[in-house]
Amino acid sequence: MKTSVSVLLSELQQRTSQHLEYAQTLLEKTERELNFRNSQDSWSSLECLEHLNRYGNFYIPEITNRIDGSKISPKDTFKPGILGNYFAKSMLPKENLNKMKTLKIMNPIHSQLNKTVIEKFISQQKQLLGLLEKAQNIDLEKTKTSISISKLIKLKLGDTFRFVIYHNTRHIEQIQKILNS
């Protein structure tokens, strides 16, 4: 399924702006509210954001380096790769949030966290918006990025953006459920 690059980047920018705005509202919550968890083995709101920050710590520099190193002119359309499309779609929240295992290094459960986690997430969302802006000037298919679980697997930059931003959407919805319970 080919899609317009401008439509794709616009959708991703819109989602990222919504994540940024929502994170800013979290600063108004108490740390007690933000550290609340529904059960001993579930994540708190801050743990959800810390999880996203850990992924951002990998993907933001990776995407930045790939964009900065790309000499490939942009195309008008983007066709997802088979693996990248699978990863991206698997991140989108479903009606009943399907639980997924995370790598131990990406699992923040029982961490001592405070609002600096939110500030870091906000900073990362601003960086992502800047990267989405820069991405308009390169080919989202031919520019490839490594992924966090293996340097050997490369995804199209468009798929990497989709994966990261859809993953953020998934956990923002999880935070909303935690805070509304």
Side-chain angles (χ1 to χ4, degrees):
M1 101 190 160
K2 275 193 174 186
T3 186
S4 158
V5 167
S6 62
V7 169
L8 174 64
L9 290 175
S10 177
E11 181 229 334
L12 296 174
Q13 286 170 324
Q14 184 178 359
R15 281 181 185 268
T16 303
S17 293
Q18 289 170 345
H19 300 158
L20 174 61
E21 289 170 25
Y22 182 72
Q24 289 168 329
T25 69
L26 294 176
L27 290 169
E28 299 166 13
K29 302 280 185 193
T30 66
E31 284 187 4
R32 184 169 182 212
E33 289 172 293
L34 295 167
N35 278 303
F36 169 80
R37 62 170 51 99
N38 287 318
S39 70
Q40 195 57 27
D41 60 346
S42 65
W43 288 351
S44 69
S45 299
L46 287 179
E47 287 168 338
C48 290
L49 287 180
E50 175 62 17
H51 171 71
L52 296 177
N53 288 345
R54 291 178 185 189
Y55 274 94
N57 289 342
F58 174 82
Y59 282 105
I60 290 173
E62 176 66 13
I63 292 168
T64 301
N65 292 337
R66 300 304 175 152
I67 288 176
D68 291 348
S70 180
K71 308 276 188 270
I72 306 167
S73 298
K75 289 190 346 191
D76 291 337
T77 59
F78 173 75
K79 184 176 183 205
I82 294 169
L83 190 60
N85 196 44
Y86 171 78
F87 284 154
K89 284 184 168 183
S90 73
M91 286 300 115
L92 282 171
K94 311 213 176 6
E95 186 71 33
N96 292 322
L97 195 61
N98 52 326
K99 286 194 169 199
M100 297 180 128
K101 284 276 188 199
T102 191
L103 298 172
K104 190 172 184 161
I105 191 170
M106 298 299 190
N107 189 343
I109 195 154
H110 303 299
S111 300
Q112 295 298 310
L113 302 171
N114 58 39
K115 288 186 181 183
T116 59
V117 171
I118 301 170
E119 293 161 4
K120 182 168 186 169
F121 182 76
I122 288 170
S123 171
Q124 287 186 352
Q125 297 316 290
K126 289 176 181 176
Q127 290 174 66
L128 263 178
L129 286 170
L131 291 169
L132 288 164
E133 194 66 37
K134 282 179 152 185
Q136 294 176 36
N137 302 315
I138 62 168
D139 188 324
L140 298 182
E141 282 184 41
K142 290 209 167 72
T143 305
K144 310 270 181 164
T145 66
S146 295
I147 63 171
S148 60
I149 58 172
S150 171
K151 302 269 191 223
L152 302 175
I153 300 172
K154 304 269 192 235
L155 295 182
K156 296 176 180 184
L157 178 59
D159 287 331
T160 301
F161 272 127
R162 291 170 62 228
F163 169 80
V164 170
I165 294 166
Y166 294 172
H167 185 227
N168 289 348
T169 299
R170 173 186 195 81
H171 289 291
I172 291 289
E173 284 195 19
Q174 184 180 3
I175 292 168
Q176 291 168 334
K177 286 179 181 171
I178 294 166
L179 291 174
N180 290 330
S181 63

